[in-house]
Amino acid sequence: MNIFRDKIINGGFSVTAELFPPKGNDASALLKKADFLKPFVDAINVTDNQRASMRLGSMAVSRLIKEMGVEPIMQMTCRDRNRIALQSDLLSASALGIENVLILSGDHPLNGEYKDAKPVYDLDTVQLLTAAGMLIKGTDLAGKNLSGTPSFCLGAVVNPTANPVELQIMMLEKKINAGAVFFQTQPIFDVSQYEDFLGKVRPVTGAQKVRILPGVALLKSAKFVKFLLGLPGVNIPQATVDRIERAPDQLAEGIKICAETISRLRGIADGVHIMAIGMEEHIPEILRQAGIKSK
Amino acid sequence: MIITVQKPLPEILDSLKDYDNVFIVGCAACATKCQTGGEEAVKKISEELKKAGKKVSGSAVLDTPCDIRVAKRDLKNVSAGVFLILGCGAGVQSVEKVTSAPLVPALDPVFTGTVERIGIYHEYCALCGSCMLAGTGGICPITRCAKSLINGPCGGAVNGKCEADPDSDCAWALILEKTKGKGILKDYMPPRSFIKPKNIGRHKKTTL
Ligand code: SF4
C-alpha cells in the first residue's frame, strides 16, 4: 500500500521529506533517519547525485528505505544518463518495487564537483516523463514492446519563484501533459507569493488531477538565513529574517516559523515537502506545532 | 566561423620534439579572422620556434586549408620534416590527405562562433544537423542553454540569467522575449536525433 500515491490520486494533505545519499557506501546514518521519520511522513525523496556531486545512488537507497517500510520518491535527473540508461533505470527501479519517481533536469555539472564532466541531458524532463509514460503503457521510446509493464507515480518540479513565471507555467503544462501527477517545489518562504503563483497556474492545473507540494525549509539559524539569502533567487521576507535574528533561541524560532508556514499552506496547498537540510530530527516537532498528526 | 585558440608553446614544442625542418601552414580564412593562423601568427610562431632551436624550412598561408584541393595544390611540392598547422581540425586533416609527413596542430578549435568583434565570439551553433531556429525566435537552445533543453527551461534561471553561468542570459528567457504571443513554445519537442546525414547532396561525409 503506497499511502503517498493514494493521497496523490484521491486527495489528502501529503507530507514528504528528503534525504541525501552519502558519499560512500555506508547508508546507515540515512537509514536511521528514514526509520525515525517513518511515522511522520508519507514518503521520503531520495536525491540523485544532488548538486552535481557524486553520491550513493538514488535507486539503491530508495530500495533500502522501501525494505524498511518507508515509501521512497526516487529522484531522477537528466544530467548523467542517456535515453538508454534512463529507461533501463526506470525498469530497474520498477523491478525493485519503486513506484514514485520525481523527474528533474538536475543541477548543471558546472555547479558541482565535476565541472569537466559531460552534461548529458540527452532527454529533457518533458521527454523523460513521456518515456516513463510509454513504459507504463507497455512500450519504450523506440516503440518496442515490453515484457511486463511498470507502474509509476510520476512527479516533476516547478519553481514558483523563478522568473519569468510564464515559462514555469508552460513547463508545468508540458509536464502534466507528459504524465506528471505530482509536483514538488523549491522552498517557499512567503506564503502569499505562493498563493499568487497558485492563482496563475490554476488555469493549467484546474481541470487536471495534479497535486503540488510546496517546499518548506527549516531556517535553523541566522547564519543559515544569511547563507540562503546569498544564494541566487532566494527571497525571504524581512520580517522572517528579523524574527530569526532577534530570537534568543534561533533554532526554536526557525521551527516555529516553519510550522506556521505549514499551517498557512494547509488551507491552500495539497501538502508540503519539508527540507530540513540535515536537521530532520526536528520534523516531528515542526509537524506537531503545525497541528499535523503522525500517521 | 571556426573559433580557434593557440595551444601553449611548450605543448607545441613537445609535439615537435622528435622532428625538425618544420613547415608552417597557416589559414587565410577562419584562423586569420581569429588572429590565430594568418600571416602574423605564422611569423610569430616561426620566430618562437627558431628561438627554441627548431629549424623552420618554410611556411605558407593557404586560402582554405580545410579544402583538400587547396592543400594538394599548395603543398604538393613541399617537402618537410613535419607540418605545423595553424588551422582547425578540418584543416589538419585535409593536409593529412596530401602528405605522409608527420603533422602537429598548433591550435585548439573550440566552437563554431558568431563574431561580435575580434576576440569576442559567441557559441551560437552546434552544427547539430537539424536546425530548429524557426521555432525559437532565432535563438539556439542547443548552444545557448547550458543543458541544451529543447522543451523549455529548467527551474534554475535567476533574473533571466543561467544557473550554470550567471554571466550568460538564460536562453529560454531570450526565446520567450523573442517569440512572445506566438505560442510556438507549447509544442512538444521529441528527443533529438544524434545521427548526422551521411550523404549531403553529392558529397560523402567521410570519404574522398
Ligand atoms: S537556466 Fe536557462 S539556459 Fe541555463 S540551463 Fe536552465 S534553461 Fe538552460
Side-chain angles (χ1 to χ4, degrees):
Chain A
M1 165 70 185
N2 179 345
I3 178 166
F4 172 75
R5 187 174 192 173
D6 186 61
K7 282 190 183 174
I8 294 301
I9 296 169
N10 299 313
F13 194 79
S14 305
V15 178
T16 58
E18 68 183 13
L19 291 173
F20 308 118
K23 200 174 191 64
N25 65 353
D26 178 5
S28 54
L30 180 145
L31 297 180
K32 232 168 109 185
K33 279 187 181 172
D35 192 45
F36 168 77
L37 289 174
K38 189 173 158 183
F40 303 100
V41 297
D42 298 320
I44 295 178
N45 285 47
V46 182
T47 55
D48 175 12
N49 296 301
Q50 68 273 10
R51 306 247 94 224
S53 64
M54 191 286 297
R55 299 295 175 118
L56 182 59
S58 175
M59 194 195 306
V61 173
S62 292
R63 166 69 193 200
L64 290 175
I65 69 170
K66 178 108 187 161
E67 281 171 8
M68 297 165 40
V70 179
E71 197 51 50
I73 298 173
M74 181 180 89
Q75 296 199 175
M76 193 174 206
T77 72
C78 299
R79 180 190 54 231
D80 307 319
R81 287 162 282 187
N82 72 4
R83 64 195 80 177
I84 300 172
L86 287 167
Q87 293 181 93
S88 172
D89 279 358
L90 280 169
L91 291 181
S92 302
S94 177
L96 292 172
I98 296 162
E99 279 186 285
N100 316 309
V101 182
L102 182 85
I103 284 166
L104 55 177
S105 55
D107 294 324
H108 194 278
L110 281 172
N111 293 335
E113 55 184 21
Y114 286 91
K115 298 191 195 315
D116 291 334
K118 180 173 187 181
V120 181
Y121 306 105
D122 181 33
L123 298 183
D124 61 31
T125 49
V126 180
Q127 294 159 346
L128 179 52
L129 282 163
T130 303
M134 290 177 77
L135 297 178
I136 294 171
K137 292 201 187 87
T139 69
D140 67 359
L141 257 185
K144 299 277 192 285
N145 289 330
L146 306 179
S147 63
T149 48
S151 168
F152 293 122
C153 177
L154 297 173
V157 292
V158 60
N159 186 351
T161 58
N163 276 320
V165 72
E166 295 103 295
L167 284 174
Q168 287 301 310
I169 294 169
M170 175 188 91
M171 287 308 278
L172 185 78
E173 189 167 15
K174 281 193 170 186
K175 288 171 181 177
I176 293 171
N177 290 340
V181 291
F182 74 93
F183 287 85
Q184 291 173 317
T185 82
Q186 269 80 352
I188 302 297
F189 297 103
D190 183 344
V191 177
S192 47
Q193 190 189 16
Y194 183 66
E195 274 185 290
D196 278 357
F197 172 75
L198 278 184
K200 289 195 184 113
V201 301
R202 205 151 289 133
V204 172
T205 56
Q208 324 247 12
K209 252 198 184 168
V210 298
R211 316 278 175 197
I212 306 179
L213 316 183
V216 287
L218 170 58
L219 300 172
K220 56 189 179 192
S221 65
K223 208 171 129 207
F224 184 59
V225 170
K226 217 175 194 168
F227 163 76
L228 286 177
L229 285 171
L231 296 179
V234 176
N235 183 15
I236 305 175
Q238 191 55 43
T240 307
V241 178
D242 292 345
R243 270 181 70 179
I244 301 261
E245 271 175 1
R246 287 187 199 133
D249 183 343
Q250 296 183 339
L251 176 60
E253 193 65 19
I255 291 172
K256 211 167 147 207
I257 291 170
C258 191
E260 286 169 14
T261 308
I262 294 173
S263 317
R264 285 190 62 197
L265 285 168
R266 248 187 127 174
I268 53 170
D270 301 312
V272 280
H273 177 59
I274 304 174
M275 296 148 143
I277 315 159
M279 307 284 269
E280 288 79 15
E281 65 273 23
H282 300 295
I283 287 179
E285 178 58 19
I286 293 170
L287 290 169
R288 194 192 63 75
Q289 288 188 25
I292 294 174
K293 291 198 186 71
S294 59
K295 288 189 284 184
Chain B
M1 73 182 198
I2 310 293
I3 309 299
T4 44
V5 292
Q6 198 192 306
K7 286 177 175 291
L9 189 63
E11 184 186 337
I12 296 172
L13 288 172
D14 188 58
S15 299
L16 290 171
K17 70 176 183 300
D18 296 332
Y19 314 116
D20 220 332
N21 289 327
V22 184
F23 189 92
I24 304 170
V25 179
C27 161
C30 304
T32 290
K33 279 214 168 181
C34 273
Q35 301 187 332
T36 50
E39 295 286 359
E40 272 177 42
V42 168
K43 208 172 127 204
K44 183 163 169 271
I45 198 149
S46 171
E47 278 159 16
E48 282 168 340
L49 292 186
K50 285 178 196 156
K51 217 184 275 167
K54 285 278 165 195
K55 191 165 166 280
V56 176
S57 61
S59 69
V61 176
L62 276 53
D63 289 342
T64 46
C66 54
D67 185 332
I68 296 172
R69 296 162 304 174
V70 172
K72 202 177 264 169
R73 185 191 71 201
D74 293 355
L75 299 176
K76 67 173 185 284
N77 296 321
V78 173
S79 74
V82 60
F83 283 97
L84 179 69
I85 296 140
L86 278 62
C88 68
V92 176
Q93 288 171 79
S94 89
V95 177
E96 185 273 334
K97 293 279 187 199
V98 303
T99 177
S100 55
L103 308 163
V104 169
L107 308 183
D108 284 319
V110 280
F111 53 81
T112 318
T114 300
V115 184
E116 190 171 316
R117 54 177 193 271
I118 296 301
I120 311 275
Y121 311 115
H122 303 289
E123 185 181 6
Y124 281 175
C125 176
L127 307 175
C128 73
S130 173
C131 189
M132 59 177 72
L133 290 174
T136 57
I139 289 158
C140 170
I142 307 289
T143 45
R144 297 173 71 177
C145 164
K147 299 176 186 174
S148 297
L149 303 175
I150 60 174
N151 269 294
C154 70
V158 177
N159 302 326
K161 298 292 176 187
C162 175
E163 73 160 43
D165 175 11
D167 293 332
S168 296
D169 293 322
C170 168
W172 279 97
L174 296 177
I175 291 170
L176 177 75
E177 219 176 276
K178 264 298 188 59
T179 58
K180 208 159 229 169
K182 293 202 186 122
I184 28 187
L185 296 173
K186 293 230 159 76
D187 296 340
Y188 170 67
M189 296 290 290
R192 290 166 59 199
S193 169
F194 286 86
I195 301 173
K196 294 207 183 180
K198 267 227 166 75
N199 300 303
I200 305 153
R202 293 186 298 120
H203 307 285
K204 302 255 188 266
K205 185 178 151 201
T206 51
T207 49
L208 241 176

